């Protein structure tokens, strides 16, 4: 008879990232089938749960580029016992932070007004659209982060290692082979 | 092709229902629906809420960085951006004709990308809706639920995706954000060991891909009513096709058809895309709305992606996919299929085509050649177009004499489908929500329509409201890092 195991709850979200870190998560390939025996997914782009409930592990991809990102991050920190920043964007802003040396109104002007092939451009201006932040911020500047997995993206193996360490109650350790920054 | 339900006449007294975020899609989007007290739907909008400004900050960068940088627009189809940028920059280095090894390595990488992205989209993201029902138990409506109920299907999906990712790793050096293509060619070819490793699995992959086409085809045959009508609307469609009119996802000329399948334009060199397409901005989305200039904003919007490509080409060069294409055409009859759920079927036909192309390329010794780079006369402008998993992807650059980018214009696949996706969710709102108490299951119908297009909202772009608004960013200690404020006229200012 199967003894029901108590599964750990895991939530994941993409903020100002490219989804590549989530894709790398899926690069654990068949191990995903092993993982789902041990964990239950809460809010994640893989499920239809729209808000994060109480969780053991929260994984954040991407930095903060707008007000909505900040709300989602705060919701995660409030609900997740352990919060992990995954990838260059969450850790230091990553490529989207290339806009940080430019003024936001200038970029908006460029993209929605002066851009090639645009007819009668203007800057979208509707309350449904979250306010962009002046700069792209790494997540640890706004909430406390427990672990950082570097890489753009970190490999599926690196993500697997951290998760299995945490599931086994060990302090996560990447080691030389899995630690990379590209 | 109306824009009904885009804007309510009197939004003030309506109730707002929001789907935020749209889930099981890539990136951020939300849907807002305005209803009156009788649950009559007055307005439905799919908003793209991110703004990244890539086109601006790429300016001033050396052009050879671009193929590596642009991948970070999207981690699901990085290869598409990588290749579209490389193709555009081939014009800068004057290498319009690549060496056979370079062209075939790039194609191999691209077909690996099509395979992995289509598998991901179908199995990991969309299959739960189709296997369990659109309003089935929300907690099971995901890949984990599929793994429990249909373990073989889930496992095949995972292995199909894995194989595509391995093709990418062998051609680009890394599964995500690799470096295989460079302006003028590629930086590696396959070793014998790498080729043999892929050859080992490819026959199984072709056969599973064919099973996947049949899985979706059977769904259409079993429930034609639902599959033909769900969110259906008529639209123009566009893609590139090969010079011989056959399906070619890597290179070709632009062809467009109207809603009855008649050619609107054909054989258009994509270097001239801007004579064909213009873009419109709408107040409520960071994603622009492209349209065909000759037809104008009202009538000129169009659809891209698998559903367009499978019906736009005259044939598919690989035998198994061609059989499936004919079946598809026979099912839809004289008129093109417009139903959004047809996207899944067409997508699986393309996945089969990609698998067959990979098999062909693995049997071609050119992929192990060592002539990697071509050279020519330096230019200063180039357009690169590729059929990315989600549709036509356009990259356009100008480069100055110091090798720095001075202009960048990107029209990503999902952007072409902006109006079409909005149209689909409005239809579904009319078909299913009208007059009903809104439930989670009903709202998932809206998302099912969006998912059919496989939108990649990562690729797309963010916004500002009219009321004065201020946002403060605080650090962990509660100290203020920055504030942003927006005045009544919508202008923004930031203080740090
Ligand atoms: S770290 Fe790299 S892979 Fe991850 S979200 Fe950022 S750009 Fe994408």
């Amino acid at each position: 008879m199967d003894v029901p195991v108590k599964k750990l709850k895991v939530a994941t979200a993409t903020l100002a990232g490219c989804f590549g870190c989530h894709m790398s998560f899926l690069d654990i390939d068949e191990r995903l089938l092993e993982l789902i025996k041990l964990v239950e997914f809460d809010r994640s782009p893989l499920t239809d749960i729209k808000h994060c409930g109480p969780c053991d592990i929260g994984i954040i991809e991407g930095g903060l580029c707008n007000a909505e990102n900040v709300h989602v991050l705060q919701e995660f920190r409030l609900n997740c016992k352990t919060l992990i920043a995954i990838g260059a964007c969450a850790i230091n802003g990553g490529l989207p932070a290339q806009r940080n040396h430019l003024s936001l109104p200038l970029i908006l002007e460029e993209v929605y007004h002066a851009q090639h092939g645009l007819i009668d451009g203007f800057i979208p201006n509707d309350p449904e659209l979250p306010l962009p932040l002046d700069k792209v911020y790494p997540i640890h500047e706004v909430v406390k982060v427990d672990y950082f997995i570097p890489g753009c993206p970190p490999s599926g193996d690196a993500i697997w290692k951290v998760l299995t360490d945490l599931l086994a109650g060990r302090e996560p350790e990447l080691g030389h082979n899995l630690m990379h920054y590209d | 092709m109306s824009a009904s339900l885009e804007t309510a006449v009197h939004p003030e007294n309506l109730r707002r229902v929001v789907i935020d975020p749209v889930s099981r899609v890539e990136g951020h989007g939300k849907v807002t629906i305005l209803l009156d007290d009788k649950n009559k739907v007055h307005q439905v909008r799919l908003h793209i809420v991110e703004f990244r400004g890539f086109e601006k900050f790429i300016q001033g960068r050396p052009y050879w960085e671009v193929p590596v940088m642009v991948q970070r627009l999207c981690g699901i189809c990085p290869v598409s951006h990588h290749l579209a940028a490389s193709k555009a920059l081939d014009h800068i280095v004057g290498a319009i004709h690549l060496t056979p090894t370079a062209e075939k390595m790039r194609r191999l990488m691209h077909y690996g990308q099509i395979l992995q992205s289509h598998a991901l989209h179908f199995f990991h993201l969309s299959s739960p809706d189709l296997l369990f029902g659109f309003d089935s138990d929300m907690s099971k409506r995901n890949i984990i639920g599929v793994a429990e109920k249909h373990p073989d299907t889930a496992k095949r999906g995972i292995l199909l995706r894995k194989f595509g990712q391995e093709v990418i790793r062998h051609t680009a050096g890394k599964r995500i954000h690799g470096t295989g293509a460079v302006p003028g060619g590629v930086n590696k070819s396959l070793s014998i060991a790498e080729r043999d490793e892929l050859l080992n699995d490819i026959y199984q992959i072709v056969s599973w891909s064919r099973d996947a086409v049949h899985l979706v085809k059977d769904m259409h045959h079993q429930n034609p009513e639902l599959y033909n009508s769900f969110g259906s609307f008529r639209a123009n469609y566009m893609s590139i096709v090969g010079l011989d009119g056959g399906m070619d996802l890597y290179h070709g000329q632009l062809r467009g058809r109207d809603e009855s399948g008649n050619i609107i334009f054909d054989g258009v060199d994509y270097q001239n895309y801007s004579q064909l397409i213009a873009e419109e901005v709408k107040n409520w989305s960071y994603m622009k709305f492209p349209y065909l200039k000759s037809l104008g904003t009202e009538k000129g919007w169009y659809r891209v992606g698998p559903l367009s490509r499978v019906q736009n080409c005259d044939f598919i060069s690989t035998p198994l996919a061609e059989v499936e294409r004919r079946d598809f055409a026979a099912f839809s009859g004289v008129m093109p299929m417009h139903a959004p759920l047809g996207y899944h079927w067409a997508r699986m036909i393309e996945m089969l085509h990609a698998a067959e192309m990979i098999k062909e390329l693995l049997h071609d010794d050119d992929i192990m050649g060592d002539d990697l780079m071509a050279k020519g006369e330096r230019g200063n402008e180039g357009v690169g177009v590729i059929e990315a998993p989600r549709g036509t992807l356009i990259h356009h650059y100008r480069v100055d004499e110091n090798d720095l980018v001075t202009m960048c214009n990107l029209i990503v696949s999902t952007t072409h489908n902006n109006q079409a996706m909005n149209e689909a969710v409005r239809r579904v709102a009319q078909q299913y929500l009208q007059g009903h108490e809104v439930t989670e299951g009903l709202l998932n119908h809206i998302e099912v329509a969006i998912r059919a297009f496989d939108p990649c909202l990562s690729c797309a772009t963010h916004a500002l409201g009219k009321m004065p608004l201020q946002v403060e960013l605080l650090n962990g200690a509660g100290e203020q890092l920055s504030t942003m404020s927006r005045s009544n006229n919508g202008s923004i200012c930031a203080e740090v």
Side-chain angles (χ1 to χ4, degrees), chain B residues 105-347:
Chain B
M105 279 296 283
R106 286 194 190 177
R107 281 184 178 269
L108 185 57
M109 194 191 303
H110 187 50
Y111 291 117
Q113 160 83 0
I114 298 274
L115 180 71
Q116 77 84 15
S117 175
H118 282 2
L120 167 89
H121 178 263
F122 184 73
F123 291 98
H124 296 68
L125 303 177
S126 285
S127 72
D129 298 320
L130 306 179
L131 291 169
F132 301 142
F134 302 170
D135 48 9
S136 56
D137 177 4
M138 195 251 270
S139 67
K140 301 274 180 233
R141 219 172 45 213
N142 50 51
I143 180 71
I144 296 114
V146 176
E148 281 162 6
K149 266 259 145 63
H150 306 275
D152 283 348
T153 307
K155 184 147 191 212
R156 281 184 185 193
I158 289 172
L159 293 176
L160 280 162
R161 175 179 178 276
K162 177 186 182 179
F163 180 80
Q165 290 289 75
E166 285 296 286
V167 172
I168 295 171
R169 186 169 69 84
H170 285 321
T171 48
K174 225 175 130 198
R175 278 182 166 201
I176 299 163
H177 304 335
T179 58
V182 283
V186 294
N187 63 16
K188 83 179 278 281
S189 56
L190 280 200
S191 68
I192 294 176
E194 286 168 332
R195 184 205 53 186
D196 289 350
E197 196 187 313
L198 296 174
L199 266 178
N200 236 342
D201 292 331
I202 186 63
Y203 293 90
Q204 181 69 76
I205 295 297
V206 169
S207 134
W208 282 346
S209 300
R210 199 162 135 207
D211 292 347
V213 182
H214 293 169
L215 177 69
V216 187
K217 182 159 70 178
D218 290 348
M219 292 171 170
H220 280 259
H221 281 286
Q222 279 157 14
N223 199 350
E225 237 135 86
L226 172 72
Y227 278 80
N228 287 337
S229 70
F230 183 79
S232 191
F233 61 91
R234 295 158 68 103
N236 308 311
Y237 51 105
M238 181 186 86
S239 72
I240 56 177
V241 293
L243 302 185
D244 55 5
M247 173 178 275
D248 190 334
L249 303 174
Y250 177 76
H251 192 66
Q253 297 177 327
L254 292 164
R255 176 187 278 180
R257 292 184 193 259
D258 67 16
E259 54 177 68
S260 308
N262 304 315
I263 299 265
I264 314 175
F265 56 88
D266 196 7
V268 176
D269 178 356
Y270 60 63
Q271 296 300 320
N272 306 321
Y273 80 96
S274 60
Q275 289 167 17
L276 204 64
I277 301 165
E279 290 183 282
E280 187 190 13
V281 179
K282 291 190 187 183
N283 197 25
W284 44 270
S285 183
Y286 277 119
M287 187 153 82
K288 295 170 191 170
F289 291 80
Y291 61 95
L292 300 172
K293 280 182 174 171
S294 61
L295 298 177
T297 50
E298 283 291 307
K299 291 210 152 72
W301 57 272
Y302 52 91
R303 200 171 48 208
V304 300
L307 187 61
S308 301
R309 294 188 292 233
V310 163
Q311 303 189 94
N312 208 8
C313 67
D314 303 329
F315 63 94
I316 298 180
S317 65
T318 55
L320 300 178
E322 173 63 8
V323 169
E324 298 301 337
R325 184 193 69 83
R326 289 183 187 194
D327 265 15
F328 182 96
F331 182 86
S332 58
V334 253
M335 288 298 279
M337 184 186 293
H338 289 294
L341 292 176
Y343 262 101
H344 295 293
W345 185 356
R347 192 172 287 118

Side-chain angles (χ1 to χ4, degrees), chain A residues 14-24 61-63 86-96 149-154 182, chain B residues 52 69 71-75 174 176-177:
Chain A
T14 310
L15 308 179
C18 79
F19 219 79
C21 289
H22 271 79
M23 289 295 282
S24 208
E61 162 193 316
I86 178 174
C89 295
I91 294 174
N92 60 26
L95 195 81
I149 316 180
C152 179
D182 70 332
Chain B
R52 271 182 290 174
M69 280 178 88
Q71 300 187 85
R72 271 79 182 177
L73 277 168
C74 176
K174 225 175 130 198
I176 299 163
H177 304 335

Side-chain angles (χ1 to χ4, degrees), chain A:
Chain A
M1 217 180 79
D2 282 350
V3 187
V5 256
K6 178 153 174 0
K7 293 182 173 182
L8 289 188
K9 275 211 165 186
V10 177
T12 76
T14 310
L15 308 179
C18 79
F19 219 79
C21 289
H22 271 79
M23 289 295 282
S24 208
F25 183 24
L26 294 179
D27 279 340
I28 64 175
D29 301 330
E30 308 92 296
R31 289 171 288 183
L32 184 62
L33 298 171
E34 253 171 84
L35 184 70
I36 57 182
K37 294 193 186 122
L38 304 171
V39 308
E40 192 181 320
F41 282 92
D42 194 82
R43 174 183 168 154
S44 159
L46 292 176
T47 70
D48 286 341
I49 303 172
K50 313 281 185 189
H51 287 279
C52 173
C55 280
D56 298 289
I57 300 171
I59 299 177
I60 300 279
E61 162 193 316
L64 304 159
C65 76
N66 65 22
E68 193 219 342
N69 293 158
V70 178
H71 295 146
V72 173
L73 179 65
Q74 284 166 339
E75 186 181 288
F76 266 65
R77 180 67 278 184
L78 223 55
N79 284 292
C80 301
K81 287 186 206 143
T82 300
L83 193 68
I84 305 177
I86 178 174
C89 295
I91 294 174
N92 60 26
L95 195 81
Q98 293 263 7
R99 79 158 159 92
N100 287 1
H101 66 281
L102 299 165
S103 97
L104 181 63
L106 189 94
I107 311 175
L108 286 166
E109 179 67 23
E110 173 87 18
V111 172
Y112 293 101
H113 225 153
Q115 187 75 16
H116 190 87
L118 207 59
I119 310 296
D120 301 333
F122 59 91
I123 297 170
N125 180 19
D126 186 281
E128 292 291 355
L129 300 175
L131 197 66
L133 300 171
D134 63 328
K135 284 192 167 67
V136 176
Y137 293 86
I139 65 169
H140 68 84
E141 288 197 17
V142 176
V143 298
K144 176 178 176 291
V145 175
D146 301 298
Y147 297 104
F148 299 84
I149 316 180
C152 179
S155 66
D157 289 341
I159 298 167
W160 177 250
K161 179 72 169 59
V162 171
L163 282 177
T164 45
D165 280 348
L166 283 173
L167 290 172
R170 289 188 295 266
E171 187 65 17
E173 194 65 68
L174 276 184
H176 185 66
N177 283 339
L178 295 176
M179 181 81 93
H180 71 107
Y181 296 93
D182 70 332

Side-chain angles (χ1 to χ4, degrees), chain B residues 374-420:
Chain B
K375 272 207 195 93
E377 202 178 315
R378 174 78 153 72
N380 55 21
E381 184 164 359
V383 177
V385 175
I386 197 162
E387 284 295 331
R390 292 157 186 79
T392 316
L393 169 66
I394 303 175
H395 277 226
H396 180 190
Y397 302 95
R398 280 194 208 114
V399 174
D400 69 12
E401 64 281 6
N402 298 317
D403 290 349
L404 303 180
V405 174
T406 55
M407 190 282 292
C408 160
N409 189 38
L410 310 173
I411 308 183
V412 303
S413 322
T414 298
T415 305
H416 294 288
N417 277 337
N418 199 355
Q419 183 64 31

